[in-house]
Amino acid sequence: MTATASINLRISDAEKALIDQAAQSMGKSRTAFILENTLRVAEEVILDRTRFTLDSEQWAQLHIALGNPPSEDQVRGLSKIFTAQAPWQKQ
């Protein structure tokens, strides 16, 4: 894959030194180290929010829960969650 975009960020001298030390210890450039580790964490974050595994007991409980209508308290709770502003949206 050909790199066509750039990302700029500001960090402290101490943070840069730490990254450089870690990259050097792995025999990588700063860019390769940052890119490799950032991509790994990004994939983990996305997978953590899109895939999950259940054992047979958990699957049975989920199956039962999905087969029953939600209680009024659950509906109110979900309504509150879905209408709430995210922390970064609050002023």
Side-chain angles (χ1 to χ4, degrees):
M1 183 181 336
T2 303
T4 59
S6 65
I7 296 175
N8 298 307
L9 63 135
R10 296 201 174 275
I11 61 174
S12 70
D13 290 336
E15 291 168 330
K16 181 181 174 203
L18 180 64
I19 291 168
D20 286 347
Q21 182 180 0
Q24 185 178 23
S25 75
M26 296 182 74
K28 296 180 182 278
S29 68
R30 181 187 313 133
T31 299
F33 178 82
I34 291 171
L35 182 59
E36 178 181 304
N37 287 285
T38 302
L39 290 173
R40 181 183 47 78
V41 171
E43 289 172 355
E44 288 174 6
V45 167
I46 291 169
L47 286 174
D48 189 44
R49 285 161 177 73
T50 57
R51 297 185 138 219
F52 58 95
T53 57
L54 304 173
D55 62 29
S56 58
E57 183 179 331
Q58 293 168 325
W59 175 254
Q61 290 173 352
L62 177 63
H63 188 66
I64 291 168
L66 291 175
N68 293 319
S71 69
E72 289 183 27
D73 285 341
Q74 290 170 325
V75 171
R76 278 193 296 275
L78 286 172
S79 295
K80 186 177 178 181
I81 290 170
F82 290 139
T83 58
Q85 280 189 326
W88 57 86
Q89 295 173 320
K90 294 180 181 178
Q91 303 243 354

